[in-house]
Amino acid sequence: MTTTIHDLHAFKAEGKRFAMLTAYDYPTARILDEAGIPVLLVGDSLGSNVLGYENTLPVTMEEMLHHTRAVARGVREAMVVGDMPFLSYQVSVEEGVRNAGRFLKEGGAHAVKIEGPQVELVHRLVELGIPVMAHVGLTPQSVHGLGGYRVQGRGEAGARVLDQALALEKAGAFAIVLEAMPAELGAEITGALQIPTIGIGAGPGCDAQVLVLHDILGLSEKPPKLAKAYADVRGEIDRAARAFSADVQAGRFPDEAHSYS
């Protein structure tokens, strides 16, 4: 049975912490779903992690839908959240509604994620039955406006981030990502909201935590401070590629066991 927004609300009410991870393709979605990860985010972070862009800004709706479809085909129980890319929702509420609908209708997602205090759009989407995960603090699509990937909400600025979170909850968001902010602020927002908070560099006080899959697998060349590598898949790929190349050069592959008679 697919994880729903009601399940996530129940997790918070019960004090049950949960994990969210990014997924960009069918095979990893299958693995993460079978591992019991309840929420998979098809993040626009695929721009830098999969497509080789410098940041998330060039990612298009078509690219997001392509990867969302692949992830949706791979899950049985996880909630699939599609990350709305830059300029797919900021221009107008009408365009935001149209593109959010495409994530559900064409991409197979169960919900969308929207960066920033898009209160009017969130309210309208929820009215139409499109679940919305909000996102405040460091919002990567605003990297140039923020002057880089900087911690948000320090000092007096924390009140503004809290106000944004409260407004998005009131608008109907079912959960909210808190990114790159002091741990104290993350805990304060978590205590002030009835909806689950999902932290990424927002301290241990959040209801849930999310990381980019490539970071936890050790695939990223320069992972951010907020990330933790739980494996060295980059090293394993390097080892396997070198071993294969050496076997080919030495004539050891293919051998009899890997040839047809």
Side-chain angles (χ1 to χ4, degrees):
M1 183 177 296
T2 302
T3 300
T4 71
I5 61 175
H6 301 297
D7 293 322
L8 302 190
H9 290 167
F11 290 164
K12 180 171 178 109
E14 297 165 6
K16 179 181 177 181
R17 295 171 182 264
F18 64 92
M20 179 168 81
L21 282 170
T22 63
Y24 311 110
D25 57 44
Y26 173 86
T28 52
R30 292 289 304 128
I31 293 168
L32 298 178
D33 188 58
E34 291 171 0
I37 303 300
V39 186
L40 299 183
L41 171 66
V42 188
D44 62 356
S45 51
L46 72 87
S48 52
N49 289 294
V50 177
L51 302 178
Y53 298 146
E54 183 179 356
N55 52 45
T56 64
L57 299 182
V59 178
T60 67
M61 272 295 298
E62 297 310 318
E63 288 167 338
M64 289 301 306
L65 290 171
H66 173 83
H67 288 270
T68 302
R69 283 191 291 268
V71 170
R73 287 191 288 265
V75 304
R76 300 295 179 269
E77 298 183 2
M79 174 190 290
V80 176
V81 180
D83 207 356
M84 296 193 69
F86 183 57
L87 288 187
S88 68
Y89 59 93
Q90 294 98 330
V91 175
S92 68
V93 169
E94 291 74 21
E95 188 167 353
V97 168
R98 186 180 306 108
N99 286 323
R102 293 187 69 193
F103 270 101
L104 276 64
K105 187 176 179 67
E106 301 175 38
H110 304 112
V112 296
K113 184 175 76 65
I114 298 175
E115 290 187 12
Q118 301 286 336
V119 175
E120 183 182 358
L121 175 59
V122 171
H123 178 73
R124 181 61 179 145
L125 290 175
V126 173
E127 278 189 330
L128 294 171
I130 300 175
V132 180
M133 178 180 289
H135 183 161
V136 297
L138 172 60
T139 46
Q141 291 177 16
S142 303
V143 59
H144 297 311
L146 296 173
Y149 297 101
R150 301 173 179 272
V151 174
Q152 301 296 305
R154 284 183 170 141
E156 295 180 358
R160 176 179 57 82
V161 179
L162 173 59
D163 287 345
Q164 290 177 352
L166 289 167
L168 289 161
E169 177 183 56
K170 185 176 181 180
F174 72 88
I176 186 164
V177 173
L178 308 180
E179 181 167 358
M181 63 182 64
E184 183 178 353
L185 178 59
E188 180 183 1
I189 294 174
T190 300
L193 299 182
Q194 299 301 308
I195 60 174
T197 60
I198 304 171
I200 177 166
C206 300
D207 298 304
Q209 298 290 331
V210 59
L211 282 178
V212 169
L213 180 66
H214 288 55
D215 289 341
I216 75 162
L217 295 181
L219 283 169
S220 303
E221 290 186 60
K222 296 179 180 179
K225 177 180 177 177
L226 55 80
K228 177 180 178 180
Y230 286 81
D232 182 22
V233 174
R234 185 183 185 87
E236 285 299 296
I237 292 174
D238 179 83
R239 181 199 61 75
R242 291 176 186 273
F244 169 65
S245 179
D247 278 359
V248 170
Q249 292 178 50
R252 293 188 295 266
F253 183 87
D255 54 15
E256 184 177 351
H258 297 92
S259 299
Y260 296 102
S261 58

